[in-house]
């Protein structure tokens, strides 16, 4: 045996069927009794694996929030530049931006929830509870008002600065200030600021006094049948001519609304091109009618009303705390 073969036999190891090594020629047999350690990767603890996924989902959520914020500012920038071409006023533009913000927030929340749905454990449970709480606090009225706000902004039954009245309340007359996602703000004729829910506006009849350039200011006058119709009509038209802000075209007209038992009801209809001031103009029109009729000696009292007053006074004079005064005399 040569020296090379002997040295190669010493360093040679052979593997048997059980994966154990056998000593080569000239090797120490006792050193080959133990089993060798296999070279396998160490398993990663489950907690560390879940933590890695958890941080990945947090990173995705942060990216979604940043993306939604950037999208909102980009949309706001382009809407501000295109507001004139889209005929959007300041209040309407603010309403559109509010709707856009709400849509981006809802979209971001949905994306984040879907991202965290793959995570098991406390994180998914906490996110589910938070999402359920947000949905629970979002009442049906809030969602209805938001949908109504979108419809009002798209249909545009009125614009900022218009004077409107809601049919359910004759005293609720005011000028439009702002349309938001949930409320529409009005400044009443008493200079009060009122926030009306959009759902209420959508369900009720809205009278827009400023919808057209010309508005009719109408007042009613009851006069007895003793008064000649031509004279009454002439005096009413004279009162319209003396009223400021009443235009000549269309011309004022006098109508007979109805015939009551004791008087005929006349309607003076005069037109103005300042619809937002129609209440003031209507009051001035009544004042001029009153002054002219007083100068002409025409009594505006209806006989039926006078008879009711006389009857009430007579009854109150006859009885006092259940006693008849005539019997006491």
């Amino acid at each position: 045996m040569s020296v090379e073969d002997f040295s190669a036999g010493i360093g040679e190891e052979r593997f048997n069927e059980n994966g154990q090594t056998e000593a080569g020629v000239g090797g120490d047999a006792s050193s080959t009794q133990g089993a060798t350690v296999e070279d396998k990767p160490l398993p990663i603890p489950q907690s560390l694996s879940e933590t890695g996924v958890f941080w990945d989902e947090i990173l995705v959520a942060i990216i979604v929030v940043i993306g939604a914020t950037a999208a909102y500012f980009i949309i706001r920038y382009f809407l501000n530049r295109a507001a004139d071409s889209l005929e959007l006023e300041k209040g309407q533009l603010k309403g559109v931006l509010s709707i856009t913000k709400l849509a981006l927030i809802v979209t971001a929340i949905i994306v984040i929830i879907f991202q965290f749905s793959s995570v098991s454990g406390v994180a998914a449970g906490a996110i589910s509870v938070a999402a359920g709480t947000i949905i629970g606090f979002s009442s049906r009225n809030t969602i209805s008002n938001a949908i109504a706000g979108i419809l009002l902004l798209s249909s545009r039954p009125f614009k900022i600065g218009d004077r409107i009245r809601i049919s359910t309340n004759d005293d609720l007359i005011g000028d439009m200030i702002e349309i938001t996602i949930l409320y529409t703000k009005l400044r009443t004729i008493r200079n009060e600021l009122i926030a009306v829910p959009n759902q209420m506006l959508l369900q009720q009849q809205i009278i827009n006094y400023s919808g057209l350039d010309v508005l009719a200011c109408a007042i009613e006058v009851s006069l007895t049948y003793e008064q000649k119709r031509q004279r009454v009509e002439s005096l009413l038209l004279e009162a319209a001519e003396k009223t400021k802000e009443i235009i000549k075209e269309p011309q004022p007209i006098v109508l007979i609304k109805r015939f009551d038992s004791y008087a005929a009801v006349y309607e003076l209809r005069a037109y103005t091109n300042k619809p937002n001031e129609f209440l003031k103009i209507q009051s001035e029109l009544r004042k001029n009618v009153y002054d002219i009729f007083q100068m002409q000696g025409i009594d505006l009292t209806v006989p039926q009303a006078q008879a009711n007053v006389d009857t009430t006074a007579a009854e109150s004079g006859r009885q006092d705390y259940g006693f008849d005064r005539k019997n006491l005399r």
Side-chain angles (χ1 to χ4, degrees), residues 171-225:
D171 295 331
L172 191 55
I173 302 176
D175 299 332
M176 292 295 307
I177 296 179
E178 183 182 0
I179 303 175
T180 63
I181 189 64
L182 298 178
Y183 298 96
T184 298
K185 296 181 181 180
L186 296 177
R187 183 177 62 245
T188 65
I189 55 178
R190 300 183 182 89
N191 202 30
E192 301 168 338
L193 182 61
I194 296 179
V196 182
N198 290 331
Q199 185 180 6
M200 179 180 176
L201 288 177
L202 194 65
Q203 294 176 350
Q204 302 299 328
Q205 182 182 8
I206 302 173
I207 301 175
N208 188 355
Y209 296 104
S210 304
L212 300 175
D213 297 333
V214 177
L215 178 67
C217 296
I219 63 171
E220 293 184 359
V221 178
S222 298
L223 294 170
T224 61
Y225 295 107

Side-chain angles (χ1 to χ4, degrees), residues 35 75 278 319:
I75 293 173
F278 82 97
Q319 294 182 357

Side-chain angles (χ1 to χ4, degrees), residues 129-319:
V129 171
T133 304
I134 294 173
I135 296 174
F137 278 107
S138 299
S139 63
R140 182 182 63 182
N141 291 332
T142 302
I143 298 175
S144 300
N145 286 327
I147 296 175
I150 296 174
L151 294 177
L152 289 175
L153 287 171
S154 60
S155 60
R156 298 183 183 181
F158 41 74
K159 61 181 183 296
I160 303 302
D162 285 354
R163 175 156 293 185
I164 67 171
R165 176 171 69 87
I166 301 176
S167 60
T168 55
N169 191 348
D170 293 339
D171 295 331
L172 191 55
I173 302 176
D175 299 332
M176 292 295 307
I177 296 179
E178 183 182 0
I179 303 175
T180 63
I181 189 64
L182 298 178
Y183 298 96
T184 298
K185 296 181 181 180
L186 296 177
R187 183 177 62 245
T188 65
I189 55 178
R190 300 183 182 89
N191 202 30
E192 301 168 338
L193 182 61
I194 296 179
V196 182
N198 290 331
Q199 185 180 6
M200 179 180 176
L201 288 177
L202 194 65
Q203 294 176 350
Q204 302 299 328
Q205 182 182 8
I206 302 173
I207 301 175
N208 188 355
Y209 296 104
S210 304
L212 300 175
D213 297 333
V214 177
L215 178 67
C217 296
I219 63 171
E220 293 184 359
V221 178
S222 298
L223 294 170
T224 61
Y225 295 107
E226 298 175 355
Q227 305 296 332
K228 294 183 178 181
R229 179 181 61 83
Q230 293 82 359
R231 185 186 181 194
V232 172
E233 292 180 355
S234 176
L235 294 176
L236 290 175
L237 292 175
E238 182 182 350
E241 292 177 359
K242 291 184 176 181
T243 304
K244 295 180 179 180
E245 311 302 342
I246 294 296
I247 59 178
K248 295 182 179 181
E249 291 294 336
Q251 295 181 355
I253 59 175
V254 178
L255 306 173
I256 296 181
K257 291 289 294 292
R258 61 185 181 273
F259 295 113
D260 290 340
S261 300
Y262 297 91
V265 179
Y266 296 85
E267 178 182 338
L268 172 60
R269 189 175 299 174
Y271 297 88
T272 180
N273 55 5
K274 294 185 178 180
N276 283 23
E277 301 178 7
F278 82 97
L279 288 176
K280 180 181 178 182
I281 299 171
Q282 207 172 43
S283 176
E284 293 296 327
L285 192 60
R286 289 192 180 98
K287 292 177 181 179
N288 291 332
V289 170
Y290 178 81
D291 293 339
I292 291 176
F293 278 57
Q294 287 290 320
M295 292 175 59
Q296 296 297 326
I298 299 177
D299 190 5
L300 294 175
T301 305
V302 181
Q304 177 64 30
Q306 185 64 38
N308 292 337
V309 172
D310 295 340
T311 303
T312 303
E315 291 179 354
S316 62
R318 287 196 305 267
Q319 294 182 357

